[in-house]
Amino acid sequence: MTRTADSAIIDEIRQLKAERDAILLVHNYQPDEIQDIADITGDSLELSRAAATMKGEVIVFCGVDFMAETAAILSPKKTVLLPAENACCPMAQKIGADELRLAKERHPDAAVVCYVNSSAEVKAESDICCTSSNAVKVVNSVEQDEIIFVPDRNLGQYAQRFTKKKIFPWEGYCIVHDRITPAMVAEARKAHPGAMLLVHPECRPAVIDLADHVASTSGIIKEVCTSKAQEFIIGTEVGILHRLGRECPHKKCYPLSETAVCRNMKKTDLVKVRDSLKTLRPRITVQADVADRARGAIERMLAI
Ligand code: 13P
Ligand code: SF4
């Protein structure tokens, strides 16, 4: 699409947003042009907090399905839209509520800590949710000494480094982060000697071992902006580089892997955002009884 066509659509989006009393919440991995029209760009935790507290009748969630579901659970009276209807998180599909119920039977004394990258039904079966920015805090906040951690085994194993509790990680993983290998790290370090390596905790333990800093997407941005270092290798989805370029333009950031692209995050485009505001579709709703139980797990996390 041409720049003129883009700016005409952006004008329409602005007008529709005002008419609908809508806010645009945008994840750090979204396409550049979507980040540029955001009211708030953030990581999962920041966007959940915004969804719970922001004024406005309509939330346009530019991200993937579990994020919009979380917003719908936290703000049941608002209209929550996910412009890219089929934008899902494959990791969230690695566990269903029935499987989690069986795991609970196998570990009756364990608490269930559920990464927000999960379905509403799985959240409803969990004691507390976490995101990549608060997983360690959440794990250490529960009373039980044993924890079933779903669905990300890498984040579960990362949290295990900082707790005496016994974590049973589920066998899920992110297809984007789990593909990053120590060999890629070695190559990037060779290309950028002296650069700090910042990685997301969805990476494999062998990659985490090599990192200088491990953080959520917004944690990585904060580290780049506040660190004295000037060069950084960024071990997460490449969409984050746009925000890094905007917020810390004087720092040099290199992707650890150019192929770390979440295809689902890239399904949003300007036309879909405009059309969702026009039609108030696709709308994300969660069945009331499931939402009520899932809300407890999310709110316990937000209270920490
Ligand atoms: P953040 O919460 O760090 O933004 O991560 C979300 C996600 O999906 C990572 O792959
Ligand atoms: Fe899911 Fe991975 Fe995409 Fe994040 S990057 S939304 S965990 S598939």
Side-chain angles (χ1 to χ4, degrees), residues 29 64 89-91 117 174 176-177 202 262 265:
Y29 294 159
V64 291
C89 170
M91 167 155 57
N117 298 41
C174 162
V176 178
H177 289 85
E202 285 178 12
C262 177
M265 282 284 182

Side-chain angles (χ1 to χ4, degrees), residues 3-274:
R3 214 173 259 257
T4 331
D6 270 5
S7 62
I9 296 174
I10 291 167
D11 285 347
E12 268 187 274
I13 290 173
R14 289 218 175 94
Q15 200 179 328
L16 284 160
K17 258 181 61 188
E19 282 167 20
R20 296 292 196 191
D21 189 17
I23 55 159
L24 234 76
L25 301 185
V26 175
H27 189 263
N28 290 324
Y29 294 159
Q30 284 285 291
D32 302 357
E33 64 278 18
I34 304 297
Q35 293 192 31
D36 290 343
I37 57 165
D39 289 305
I40 295 187
T41 316
D43 67 7
S44 307
L45 184 61
E46 291 167 334
L47 297 177
S48 300
R49 285 197 193 284
T53 54
M54 278 194 77
K55 292 206 175 81
E57 294 289 314
V58 174
I59 295 174
V60 183
F61 214 116
C62 300
V64 291
D65 54 1
F66 75 82
M67 296 178 174
E69 263 188 8
T70 303
I73 291 165
L74 288 171
S75 297
K77 294 204 172 104
K78 288 187 182 157
T79 301
V80 178
L81 306 171
L82 180 68
E85 188 166 29
N86 53 359
C88 63
C89 170
M91 167 155 57
Q93 296 169 350
K94 300 245 186 230
I95 184 167
D98 288 348
E99 289 169 295
L100 179 51
R101 278 191 284 271
L102 287 176
K104 282 161 67 171
E105 280 174 26
R106 280 198 301 277
H107 302 288
D109 297 329
V112 179
V113 175
C114 165
Y115 190 26
V116 284
N117 298 41
S118 53
S119 67
E121 288 76 13
V122 165
K123 288 184 179 77
E125 285 294 327
S126 302
D127 294 298
I128 186 163
C129 287
C130 75
T131 73
S132 58
S133 67
N134 62 15
V136 173
K137 256 194 205 163
V138 167
V139 159
N140 282 317
S141 77
V142 302
E143 268 176 32
Q144 291 88 329
D145 292 325
E146 293 186 345
I147 289 165
I148 301 168
F149 191 100
V150 298
D152 186 10
R153 61 155 193 251
N154 291 342
L155 185 60
Q157 285 172 9
Y158 176 68
Q160 183 68 81
R161 296 174 188 229
F162 303 96
T163 184
K164 290 198 173 71
K165 296 173 192 288
K166 170 78 188 140
I167 296 182
F168 302 103
W170 195 255
E171 254 310 303
Y173 57 89
C174 162
I175 49 173
V176 178
H177 289 85
D178 198 65
R179 255 197 319 240
I180 297 174
T181 61
M184 291 175 182
V185 172
E187 212 174 293
R189 288 248 196 232
K190 204 168 148 200
H192 309 291
M196 265 181 85
L197 174 67
L198 313 183
V199 308
H200 195 276
E202 285 178 12
C203 291
R204 294 182 195 181
V207 170
I208 302 255
D209 285 343
L210 301 170
D212 298 307
H213 188 73
V214 181
S216 74
T217 54
S218 288
I220 288 175
I221 293 163
K222 194 169 158 211
E223 182 64 20
V224 171
C225 292
T226 57
S227 162
K228 286 199 180 95
Q230 295 300 312
E231 294 190 43
F232 303 86
I233 299 163
I234 307 295
T236 190
E237 210 271 350
V238 295
I240 195 175
L241 291 158
H242 182 64
R243 201 169 153 208
L244 283 168
R246 264 188 5 202
E247 296 205 8
C248 343
H250 49 292
K251 303 277 175 99
K252 286 194 176 130
C253 295
Y254 316 103
L256 172 50
S257 163
E258 301 265 7
T259 60
V261 178
C262 177
R263 285 196 299 126
N264 283 287
M265 282 284 182
K266 307 304 184 213
K267 287 177 178 169
T268 320
D269 61 31
L270 290 172
V271 172
K272 285 180 189 153
V273 172
R274 182 208 47 204

